[in-house]
Short mmCIF file of all heavy atoms in Angstrom, two decimals:
data_model
loop_
_atom_site.label_atom_id
_atom_site.label_comp_id
_atom_site.label_asym_id
_atom_site.label_seq_id
_atom_site.Cartn_x
_atom_site.Cartn_y
_atom_site.Cartn_z
N MET A 1 119.71 103.52 80.55
CA MET A 1 118.85 102.39 80.30
C MET A 1 119.46 101.10 80.88
O MET A 1 118.72 100.23 81.30
CB MET A 1 118.64 102.25 78.81
CG MET A 1 117.57 101.30 78.43
SD MET A 1 117.17 101.56 76.72
CE MET A 1 115.44 101.47 76.82
N ALA A 2 120.75 101.00 80.93
CA ALA A 2 121.38 99.80 81.46
C ALA A 2 121.34 99.75 82.98
O ALA A 2 121.57 98.70 83.57
CB ALA A 2 122.83 99.71 80.98
N VAL A 3 121.03 100.84 83.63
CA VAL A 3 120.98 100.89 85.10
C VAL A 3 119.65 100.33 85.62
O VAL A 3 119.61 99.72 86.68
CB VAL A 3 121.18 102.35 85.58
CG1 VAL A 3 121.01 102.47 87.07
CG2 VAL A 3 122.55 102.84 85.15
N LEU A 4 118.58 100.50 84.88
CA LEU A 4 117.26 100.08 85.33
C LEU A 4 117.15 98.59 85.65
O LEU A 4 116.55 98.23 86.66
CB LEU A 4 116.19 100.49 84.32
CG LEU A 4 115.88 101.98 84.27
CD1 LEU A 4 114.87 102.28 83.19
CD2 LEU A 4 115.41 102.48 85.61
N PRO A 5 117.69 97.68 84.84
CA PRO A 5 117.60 96.26 85.21
C PRO A 5 118.25 95.96 86.56
O PRO A 5 117.72 95.18 87.35
CB PRO A 5 118.33 95.53 84.08
CG PRO A 5 118.22 96.44 82.92
CD PRO A 5 118.27 97.83 83.50
N GLY A 6 119.38 96.58 86.84
CA GLY A 6 120.05 96.37 88.13
C GLY A 6 119.22 96.88 89.31
O GLY A 6 119.15 96.24 90.36
N ILE A 7 118.58 98.01 89.11
CA ILE A 7 117.72 98.56 90.17
C ILE A 7 116.55 97.63 90.42
O ILE A 7 116.20 97.33 91.56
CB ILE A 7 117.25 99.98 89.78
CG1 ILE A 7 118.43 100.94 89.83
CG2 ILE A 7 116.14 100.45 90.72
CD1 ILE A 7 118.14 102.32 89.28
N PHE A 8 115.92 97.15 89.35
CA PHE A 8 114.79 96.25 89.52
C PHE A 8 115.20 94.90 90.10
O PHE A 8 114.46 94.30 90.88
CB PHE A 8 114.05 96.06 88.20
CG PHE A 8 113.26 97.27 87.80
CD1 PHE A 8 113.54 97.93 86.62
CD2 PHE A 8 112.26 97.77 88.61
CE1 PHE A 8 112.82 99.05 86.25
CE2 PHE A 8 111.53 98.90 88.25
CZ PHE A 8 111.81 99.54 87.06
N GLU A 9 116.40 94.41 89.75
CA GLU A 9 116.90 93.16 90.34
C GLU A 9 117.08 93.32 91.84
O GLU A 9 116.68 92.45 92.62
CB GLU A 9 118.25 92.77 89.73
CG GLU A 9 118.17 92.21 88.35
CD GLU A 9 119.54 91.92 87.76
OE1 GLU A 9 120.55 92.05 88.49
OE2 GLU A 9 119.61 91.56 86.59
N GLU A 10 117.68 94.42 92.26
CA GLU A 10 117.87 94.66 93.69
C GLU A 10 116.54 94.81 94.41
O GLU A 10 116.35 94.27 95.50
CB GLU A 10 118.73 95.90 93.93
CG GLU A 10 120.18 95.70 93.63
CD GLU A 10 120.77 94.53 94.40
OE1 GLU A 10 120.65 94.50 95.64
OE2 GLU A 10 121.34 93.64 93.76
N PHE A 11 115.63 95.54 93.82
CA PHE A 11 114.32 95.72 94.43
C PHE A 11 113.61 94.37 94.59
O PHE A 11 113.03 94.09 95.63
CB PHE A 11 113.47 96.68 93.59
CG PHE A 11 112.10 96.89 94.16
CD1 PHE A 11 111.92 97.65 95.30
CD2 PHE A 11 111.00 96.31 93.55
CE1 PHE A 11 110.64 97.84 95.82
CE2 PHE A 11 109.73 96.50 94.06
CZ PHE A 11 109.54 97.26 95.21
N ALA A 12 113.68 93.53 93.57
CA ALA A 12 113.01 92.23 93.61
C ALA A 12 113.68 91.27 94.59
O ALA A 12 113.02 90.71 95.47
CB ALA A 12 112.97 91.60 92.22
N HIS A 13 114.99 91.10 94.47
CA HIS A 13 115.68 90.10 95.28
C HIS A 13 115.90 90.53 96.72
O HIS A 13 115.56 89.82 97.65
CB HIS A 13 117.01 89.70 94.63
CG HIS A 13 116.82 88.90 93.40
ND1 HIS A 13 116.84 89.47 92.15
CD2 HIS A 13 116.59 87.59 93.22
CE1 HIS A 13 116.62 88.53 91.26
NE2 HIS A 13 116.47 87.38 91.88
N ARG A 14 116.54 91.68 96.91
CA ARG A 14 116.83 92.12 98.26
C ARG A 14 115.66 92.87 98.90
O ARG A 14 115.48 92.84 100.10
CB ARG A 14 118.08 93.01 98.28
CG ARG A 14 119.33 92.33 98.71
CD ARG A 14 119.78 91.18 97.90
NE ARG A 14 120.29 91.53 96.58
CZ ARG A 14 120.56 90.63 95.68
NH1 ARG A 14 120.39 89.36 95.93
NH2 ARG A 14 121.00 90.97 94.51
N GLY A 15 114.86 93.53 98.10
CA GLY A 15 113.75 94.29 98.65
C GLY A 15 112.54 93.42 98.96
O GLY A 15 112.09 93.36 100.10
N LEU A 16 112.01 92.73 97.98
CA LEU A 16 110.79 91.96 98.16
C LEU A 16 111.03 90.55 98.71
O LEU A 16 110.49 90.19 99.75
CB LEU A 16 110.02 91.86 96.83
CG LEU A 16 109.52 93.18 96.26
CD1 LEU A 16 108.91 92.94 94.88
CD2 LEU A 16 108.50 93.80 97.18
N ILE A 17 111.82 89.77 98.00
CA ILE A 17 111.98 88.36 98.36
C ILE A 17 112.70 88.20 99.70
O ILE A 17 112.23 87.48 100.58
CB ILE A 17 112.70 87.58 97.25
CG1 ILE A 17 111.89 87.64 95.95
CG2 ILE A 17 112.93 86.13 97.66
CD1 ILE A 17 112.62 87.09 94.74
N LEU A 18 113.82 88.86 99.87
CA LEU A 18 114.60 88.73 101.10
C LEU A 18 113.78 89.14 102.31
O LEU A 18 113.74 88.42 103.31
CB LEU A 18 115.89 89.55 101.03
CG LEU A 18 116.79 89.50 102.26
CD1 LEU A 18 117.36 88.10 102.45
CD2 LEU A 18 117.92 90.49 102.13
N ASN A 19 113.12 90.27 102.24
CA ASN A 19 112.35 90.74 103.39
C ASN A 19 111.15 89.86 103.68
O ASN A 19 110.73 89.75 104.83
CB ASN A 19 111.92 92.19 103.18
CG ASN A 19 113.08 93.13 103.38
OD1 ASN A 19 113.93 92.91 104.23
ND2 ASN A 19 113.12 94.19 102.58
N ASN A 20 110.57 89.23 102.67
CA ASN A 20 109.40 88.37 102.90
C ASN A 20 109.75 86.99 103.45
O ASN A 20 108.91 86.37 104.10
CB ASN A 20 108.58 88.23 101.62
CG ASN A 20 107.80 89.47 101.32
OD1 ASN A 20 107.34 90.16 102.23
ND2 ASN A 20 107.65 89.79 100.05
N ILE A 21 110.95 86.50 103.20
CA ILE A 21 111.31 85.16 103.72
C ILE A 21 112.32 85.23 104.85
O ILE A 21 112.75 84.20 105.34
CB ILE A 21 111.81 84.23 102.59
CG1 ILE A 21 113.08 84.75 101.94
CG2 ILE A 21 110.73 84.01 101.55
CD1 ILE A 21 113.69 83.80 100.93
N LYS A 22 112.63 86.43 105.31
CA LYS A 22 113.62 86.59 106.38
C LYS A 22 113.16 85.95 107.70
O LYS A 22 113.98 85.54 108.50
CB LYS A 22 113.92 88.07 106.58
CG LYS A 22 115.24 88.34 107.20
CD LYS A 22 115.70 89.77 107.22
CE LYS A 22 114.72 90.84 106.91
NZ LYS A 22 115.29 92.18 107.05
N GLN A 23 111.86 85.85 107.92
CA GLN A 23 111.37 85.27 109.17
C GLN A 23 111.67 83.78 109.29
O GLN A 23 111.59 83.21 110.36
CB GLN A 23 109.87 85.54 109.36
CG GLN A 23 108.97 84.78 108.42
CD GLN A 23 108.57 85.59 107.22
OE1 GLN A 23 109.11 86.66 106.96
NE2 GLN A 23 107.60 85.10 106.48
N HIS A 24 112.04 83.14 108.19
CA HIS A 24 112.42 81.73 108.21
C HIS A 24 113.91 81.53 108.49
O HIS A 24 114.40 80.41 108.44
CB HIS A 24 112.06 81.06 106.88
CG HIS A 24 110.61 81.10 106.58
ND1 HIS A 24 109.68 80.41 107.31
CD2 HIS A 24 109.91 81.77 105.64
CE1 HIS A 24 108.47 80.64 106.83
NE2 HIS A 24 108.59 81.48 105.81
N GLY A 25 114.61 82.60 108.76
CA GLY A 25 116.04 82.56 109.03
C GLY A 25 116.77 83.48 108.06
O GLY A 25 116.56 83.39 106.85
N VAL A 26 117.60 84.32 108.63
CA VAL A 26 118.29 85.32 107.81
C VAL A 26 119.25 84.67 106.82
O VAL A 26 119.26 85.00 105.64
CB VAL A 26 119.02 86.35 108.71
CG1 VAL A 26 119.86 87.30 107.87
CG2 VAL A 26 118.02 87.12 109.55
N TRP A 27 120.05 83.71 107.30
CA TRP A 27 121.03 83.08 106.40
C TRP A 27 120.34 82.27 105.31
O TRP A 27 120.78 82.25 104.17
CB TRP A 27 122.01 82.22 107.17
CG TRP A 27 123.02 83.06 107.86
CD1 TRP A 27 123.13 83.30 109.20
CD2 TRP A 27 124.06 83.84 107.24
NE1 TRP A 27 124.15 84.16 109.44
CE2 TRP A 27 124.75 84.51 108.27
CE3 TRP A 27 124.46 84.03 105.93
CZ2 TRP A 27 125.82 85.35 108.00
CZ3 TRP A 27 125.52 84.88 105.67
CH2 TRP A 27 126.19 85.52 106.71
N ARG A 28 119.26 81.61 105.66
CA ARG A 28 118.51 80.85 104.66
C ARG A 28 117.95 81.80 103.60
O ARG A 28 118.02 81.54 102.41
CB ARG A 28 117.38 80.07 105.31
CG ARG A 28 116.55 79.28 104.32
CD ARG A 28 115.46 78.53 105.00
NE ARG A 28 116.07 77.42 105.71
CZ ARG A 28 115.41 76.58 106.49
NH1 ARG A 28 114.12 76.73 106.67
NH2 ARG A 28 116.03 75.60 107.09
N ALA A 29 117.40 82.93 104.04
CA ALA A 29 116.84 83.92 103.12
C ALA A 29 117.92 84.50 102.21
O ALA A 29 117.71 84.67 101.01
CB ALA A 29 116.14 85.03 103.90
N ILE A 30 119.09 84.79 102.78
CA ILE A 30 120.19 85.32 101.97
C ILE A 30 120.63 84.30 100.93
O ILE A 30 120.84 84.64 99.76
CB ILE A 30 121.37 85.74 102.88
CG1 ILE A 30 121.00 87.00 103.67
CG2 ILE A 30 122.64 85.98 102.05
CD1 ILE A 30 122.02 87.39 104.72
N CYS A 31 120.75 83.04 101.33
CA CYS A 31 121.18 82.00 100.38
C CYS A 31 120.14 81.76 99.29
O CYS A 31 120.49 81.59 98.12
CB CYS A 31 121.48 80.71 101.12
SG CYS A 31 122.98 80.78 102.09
N ILE A 32 118.87 81.77 99.64
CA ILE A 32 117.82 81.56 98.65
C ILE A 32 117.80 82.71 97.64
O ILE A 32 117.74 82.49 96.43
CB ILE A 32 116.45 81.40 99.32
CG1 ILE A 32 116.39 80.05 100.04
CG2 ILE A 32 115.31 81.51 98.30
CD1 ILE A 32 115.18 79.87 100.93
N THR A 33 117.87 83.94 98.14
CA THR A 33 117.85 85.07 97.21
C THR A 33 119.12 85.12 96.36
O THR A 33 119.06 85.49 95.19
CB THR A 33 117.65 86.41 97.94
OG1 THR A 33 118.66 86.57 98.93
CG2 THR A 33 116.29 86.49 98.59
N ALA A 34 120.25 84.73 96.93
CA ALA A 34 121.49 84.68 96.15
C ALA A 34 121.40 83.62 95.06
O ALA A 34 121.85 83.84 93.93
CB ALA A 34 122.68 84.42 97.06
N LEU A 35 120.81 82.48 95.38
CA LEU A 35 120.65 81.42 94.38
C LEU A 35 119.70 81.87 93.26
O LEU A 35 119.98 81.67 92.08
CB LEU A 35 120.13 80.15 95.03
CG LEU A 35 119.95 78.95 94.11
CD1 LEU A 35 121.28 78.54 93.49
CD2 LEU A 35 119.35 77.79 94.87
N LEU A 36 118.59 82.49 93.64
CA LEU A 36 117.66 83.00 92.62
C LEU A 36 118.32 84.07 91.75
O LEU A 36 118.12 84.10 90.54
CB LEU A 36 116.41 83.57 93.30
CG LEU A 36 115.49 82.56 93.97
CD1 LEU A 36 114.40 83.29 94.74
CD2 LEU A 36 114.91 81.61 92.95
N PHE A 37 119.12 84.92 92.38
CA PHE A 37 119.85 85.96 91.67
C PHE A 37 120.81 85.33 90.66
O PHE A 37 120.89 85.76 89.51
CB PHE A 37 120.60 86.82 92.68
CG PHE A 37 121.41 87.93 92.10
CD1 PHE A 37 120.81 89.05 91.57
CD2 PHE A 37 122.80 87.88 92.12
CE1 PHE A 37 121.56 90.09 91.05
CE2 PHE A 37 123.56 88.91 91.60
CZ PHE A 37 122.94 90.01 91.07
N ALA A 38 121.52 84.29 91.08
CA ALA A 38 122.48 83.62 90.19
C ALA A 38 121.77 82.90 89.05
O ALA A 38 122.20 82.99 87.89
CB ALA A 38 123.33 82.64 91.00
N LEU A 39 120.70 82.20 89.36
CA LEU A 39 119.98 81.46 88.32
C LEU A 39 119.28 82.38 87.33
O LEU A 39 119.09 82.03 86.17
CB LEU A 39 118.98 80.50 88.96
CG LEU A 39 119.59 79.36 89.76
CD1 LEU A 39 118.51 78.55 90.44
CD2 LEU A 39 120.46 78.47 88.88
N MET A 40 118.89 83.56 87.78
CA MET A 40 118.21 84.51 86.91
C MET A 40 119.11 84.98 85.77
O MET A 40 118.63 85.35 84.71
CB MET A 40 117.74 85.71 87.72
CG MET A 40 116.94 86.70 86.94
SD MET A 40 116.78 88.24 87.78
CE MET A 40 118.45 88.82 87.76
N HIS A 41 120.41 84.93 85.96
CA HIS A 41 121.32 85.41 84.92
C HIS A 41 121.53 84.39 83.80
O HIS A 41 122.20 84.69 82.81
CB HIS A 41 122.66 85.83 85.54
CG HIS A 41 122.54 87.14 86.25
ND1 HIS A 41 122.18 87.22 87.58
CD2 HIS A 41 122.68 88.40 85.82
CE1 HIS A 41 122.13 88.49 87.91
NE2 HIS A 41 122.41 89.23 86.87
N LEU A 42 120.98 83.20 83.92
CA LEU A 42 120.89 82.20 82.85
C LEU A 42 122.22 81.85 82.19
O LEU A 42 122.29 81.68 80.97
CB LEU A 42 119.89 82.66 81.78
CG LEU A 42 118.45 82.89 82.24
CD1 LEU A 42 117.64 83.49 81.10
CD2 LEU A 42 117.83 81.62 82.74
N SER A 43 123.25 81.74 82.98
CA SER A 43 124.54 81.35 82.42
C SER A 43 125.27 80.46 83.41
O SER A 43 125.51 80.85 84.55
CB SER A 43 125.38 82.59 82.12
OG SER A 43 126.68 82.21 81.73
N ILE A 44 125.63 79.27 82.96
CA ILE A 44 126.35 78.33 83.82
C ILE A 44 127.68 78.93 84.25
O ILE A 44 128.12 78.76 85.38
CB ILE A 44 126.59 76.99 83.07
CG1 ILE A 44 125.26 76.34 82.72
CG2 ILE A 44 127.46 76.06 83.88
CD1 ILE A 44 124.43 75.87 83.89
N VAL A 45 128.31 79.67 83.37
CA VAL A 45 129.61 80.28 83.67
C VAL A 45 129.48 81.32 84.77
O VAL A 45 130.36 81.45 85.63
CB VAL A 45 130.20 80.91 82.39
CG1 VAL A 45 131.50 81.63 82.68
CG2 VAL A 45 130.39 79.86 81.31
N LYS A 46 128.39 82.07 84.80
CA LYS A 46 128.21 83.17 85.75
C LYS A 46 127.61 82.75 87.09
O LYS A 46 127.60 83.54 88.02
CB LYS A 46 127.31 84.24 85.15
CG LYS A 46 127.88 84.93 83.95
CD LYS A 46 126.89 85.96 83.44
CE LYS A 46 127.37 86.60 82.17
NZ LYS A 46 126.39 87.55 81.64
N VAL A 47 127.10 81.54 87.21
CA VAL A 47 126.38 81.14 88.42
C VAL A 47 127.24 81.25 89.67
O VAL A 47 126.78 81.76 90.69
CB VAL A 47 125.80 79.71 88.27
CG1 VAL A 47 125.31 79.18 89.60
CG2 VAL A 47 124.68 79.69 87.27
N GLY A 48 128.47 80.83 89.62
CA GLY A 48 129.33 80.85 90.81
C GLY A 48 129.56 82.24 91.37
O GLY A 48 129.30 82.51 92.54
N TYR A 49 130.04 83.13 90.54
CA TYR A 49 130.36 84.45 91.07
C TYR A 49 129.13 85.30 91.29
O TYR A 49 129.10 86.15 92.17
CB TYR A 49 131.44 85.17 90.27
CG TYR A 49 131.07 85.65 88.90
CD1 TYR A 49 130.43 86.86 88.73
CD2 TYR A 49 131.40 84.92 87.77
CE1 TYR A 49 130.11 87.32 87.46
CE2 TYR A 49 131.08 85.36 86.51
CZ TYR A 49 130.44 86.57 86.35
OH TYR A 49 130.12 87.03 85.11
N THR A 50 128.05 85.10 90.52
CA THR A 50 126.83 85.87 90.81
C THR A 50 126.18 85.38 92.10
O THR A 50 125.55 86.16 92.81
CB THR A 50 125.81 85.81 89.65
OG1 THR A 50 125.55 84.47 89.30
CG2 THR A 50 126.30 86.59 88.46
N PHE A 51 126.36 84.11 92.44
CA PHE A 51 125.88 83.61 93.73
C PHE A 51 126.64 84.29 94.86
O PHE A 51 126.04 84.73 95.84
CB PHE A 51 126.04 82.09 93.80
CG PHE A 51 125.60 81.50 95.11
CD1 PHE A 51 124.25 81.41 95.42
CD2 PHE A 51 126.53 81.04 96.03
CE1 PHE A 51 123.83 80.88 96.63
CE2 PHE A 51 126.13 80.50 97.24
CZ PHE A 51 124.77 80.41 97.53
N LEU A 52 127.96 84.39 94.73
CA LEU A 52 128.76 85.06 95.77
C LEU A 52 128.41 86.54 95.87
O LEU A 52 128.31 87.08 96.97
CB LEU A 52 130.25 84.88 95.48
CG LEU A 52 130.78 83.46 95.63
CD1 LEU A 52 132.24 83.41 95.21
CD2 LEU A 52 130.61 82.97 97.03
N VAL A 53 128.21 87.19 94.74
CA VAL A 53 127.80 88.60 94.76
C VAL A 53 126.44 88.73 95.42
O VAL A 53 126.20 89.65 96.20
CB VAL A 53 127.79 89.19 93.33
CG1 VAL A 53 127.10 90.54 93.29
CG2 VAL A 53 129.19 89.29 92.78
N GLY A 54 125.54 87.80 95.15
CA GLY A 54 124.22 87.81 95.77
C GLY A 54 124.29 87.66 97.28
O GLY A 54 123.54 88.30 98.01
N ILE A 55 125.22 86.82 97.76
CA ILE A 55 125.39 86.67 99.21
C ILE A 55 125.91 87.97 99.81
O ILE A 55 125.41 88.43 100.85
CB ILE A 55 126.32 85.48 99.53
CG1 ILE A 55 125.56 84.19 99.24
CG2 ILE A 55 126.82 85.54 100.96
CD1 ILE A 55 126.23 82.93 99.65
N VAL A 56 126.90 88.56 99.19
CA VAL A 56 127.45 89.83 99.71
C VAL A 56 126.37 90.91 99.72
O VAL A 56 126.21 91.62 100.72
CB VAL A 56 128.68 90.27 98.88
CG1 VAL A 56 129.10 91.68 99.23
CG2 VAL A 56 129.82 89.29 99.07
N LEU A 57 125.63 91.04 98.63
CA LEU A 57 124.58 92.05 98.57
C LEU A 57 123.47 91.77 99.59
O LEU A 57 122.90 92.70 100.17
CB LEU A 57 123.99 92.13 97.16
CG LEU A 57 124.93 92.69 96.09
CD1 LEU A 57 124.28 92.57 94.71
CD2 LEU A 57 125.30 94.13 96.39
N GLY A 58 123.17 90.50 99.83
CA GLY A 58 122.19 90.14 100.85
C GLY A 58 122.65 90.51 102.23
O GLY A 58 121.87 91.04 103.04
N ILE A 59 123.92 90.27 102.54
CA ILE A 59 124.47 90.64 103.84
C ILE A 59 124.43 92.15 104.02
O ILE A 59 124.03 92.66 105.07
CB ILE A 59 125.90 90.09 104.01
CG1 ILE A 59 125.87 88.56 104.10
CG2 ILE A 59 126.58 90.70 105.23
CD1 ILE A 59 127.23 87.91 104.01
N VAL A 60 124.82 92.87 102.98
CA VAL A 60 124.80 94.34 103.04
C VAL A 60 123.38 94.84 103.27
O VAL A 60 123.15 95.74 104.08
CB VAL A 60 125.41 94.95 101.76
CG1 VAL A 60 125.16 96.44 101.69
CG2 VAL A 60 126.90 94.66 101.69
N ALA A 61 122.41 94.25 102.57
CA ALA A 61 121.01 94.68 102.73
C ALA A 61 120.50 94.41 104.13
O ALA A 61 119.78 95.23 104.71
CB ALA A 61 120.14 93.98 101.69
N VAL A 62 120.88 93.27 104.72
CA VAL A 62 120.42 92.94 106.07
C VAL A 62 121.09 93.84 107.10
O VAL A 62 120.42 94.36 108.00
CB VAL A 62 120.69 91.44 106.39
CG1 VAL A 62 120.50 91.15 107.86
CG2 VAL A 62 119.78 90.57 105.55
N VAL A 63 122.38 94.05 106.99
CA VAL A 63 123.11 94.86 107.97
C VAL A 63 122.68 96.33 107.91
O VAL A 63 122.46 96.96 108.95
CB VAL A 63 124.64 94.74 107.75
CG1 VAL A 63 125.41 95.76 108.57
CG2 VAL A 63 125.10 93.34 108.09
N THR A 64 122.53 96.87 106.72
CA THR A 64 122.18 98.28 106.58
C THR A 64 120.66 98.53 106.62
O THR A 64 120.23 99.68 106.73
CB THR A 64 122.71 98.87 105.27
OG1 THR A 64 122.10 98.20 104.17
CG2 THR A 64 124.22 98.77 105.20
N ARG A 65 119.88 97.45 106.52
CA ARG A 65 118.41 97.53 106.46
C ARG A 65 117.94 98.41 105.30
O ARG A 65 116.94 99.10 105.40
CB ARG A 65 117.84 98.05 107.76
CG ARG A 65 118.05 97.14 108.92
CD ARG A 65 117.32 97.65 110.12
NE ARG A 65 118.01 97.16 111.31
CZ ARG A 65 117.80 97.63 112.50
NH1 ARG A 65 116.98 98.63 112.69
NH2 ARG A 65 118.44 97.13 113.53
N SER A 66 118.68 98.37 104.21
CA SER A 66 118.35 99.16 103.04
C SER A 66 118.91 98.50 101.79
O SER A 66 119.95 97.86 101.84
CB SER A 66 118.95 100.57 103.17
OG SER A 66 118.76 101.30 101.99
N ILE A 67 118.21 98.65 100.67
CA ILE A 67 118.75 98.12 99.41
C ILE A 67 119.52 99.19 98.67
O ILE A 67 120.11 98.94 97.64
CB ILE A 67 117.63 97.55 98.51
CG1 ILE A 67 116.61 98.60 98.12
CG2 ILE A 67 116.99 96.36 99.17
CD1 ILE A 67 115.63 98.15 97.06
N TRP A 68 119.53 100.41 99.16
CA TRP A 68 120.23 101.50 98.50
C TRP A 68 121.68 101.52 98.92
O TRP A 68 122.55 101.99 98.31
CB TRP A 68 119.58 102.84 98.78
CG TRP A 68 118.17 102.86 98.32
CD1 TRP A 68 117.06 102.83 99.10
CD2 TRP A 68 117.69 102.85 96.97
NE1 TRP A 68 115.93 102.81 98.33
CE2 TRP A 68 116.29 102.83 97.02
CE3 TRP A 68 118.30 102.85 95.73
CZ2 TRP A 68 115.50 102.82 95.88
CZ3 TRP A 68 117.51 102.84 94.61
CH2 TRP A 68 116.13 102.82 94.68
#
């Protein structure tokens, strides 16, 4: 049950949002999705490192062309 939220987060951020705004620039799309990913976790303490994790996951999704 704890795995499903992570799968849906990846599908939403890297699958839907990233791919739909990628035409405006890959780095801009990665930063926007990383920021949304960080803000979604609703914790000031977690924003910094979840933003960095979001950037890494965005780069991985773009390079591999897959969210899996």
